[in-house]
Amino acid sequence: MTAEEYYQKGNEYRKQGNYKEALNCYMAAIELDPKSPAVHAKEMIDNIMGYYCKDYYNP
């Protein structure tokens, strides 16, 4: 898949509330294209998870 496809798939997961899979897709997009809009989307997910789900990163 291309970086754009990973980014779009991540957006679909995000809209469904599946932040873990969205984050995985965004990270894959960033690996393929470091200037992808997935960079901003990943930061947004990180902020959401840091605020609402502190245990998401610290099980």
Side-chain angles (χ1 to χ4, degrees):
M1 287 179 33
T2 66
E4 179 64 23
E5 290 170 331
Y6 275 117
Y7 172 67
Q8 294 299 330
K9 189 70 169 172
N11 286 340
E12 291 175 25
Y13 282 126
R14 181 182 48 81
K15 289 175 185 174
Q16 296 169 4
N18 189 344
Y19 294 120
K20 182 177 180 178
E21 289 301 319
L23 193 57
N24 289 337
C25 288
Y26 292 148
M27 288 190 299
I30 293 167
E31 284 182 29
L32 293 172
D33 179 10
K35 295 181 181 181
S36 168
V39 172
H40 178 68
K42 180 186 176 298
E43 290 172 0
M44 182 177 63
I45 295 276
D46 287 342
N47 288 336
I48 290 169
M49 292 294 99
Y51 183 77
Y52 290 110
C53 304
K54 296 196 184 297
D55 292 334
Y56 186 77
Y57 290 113
N58 300 310

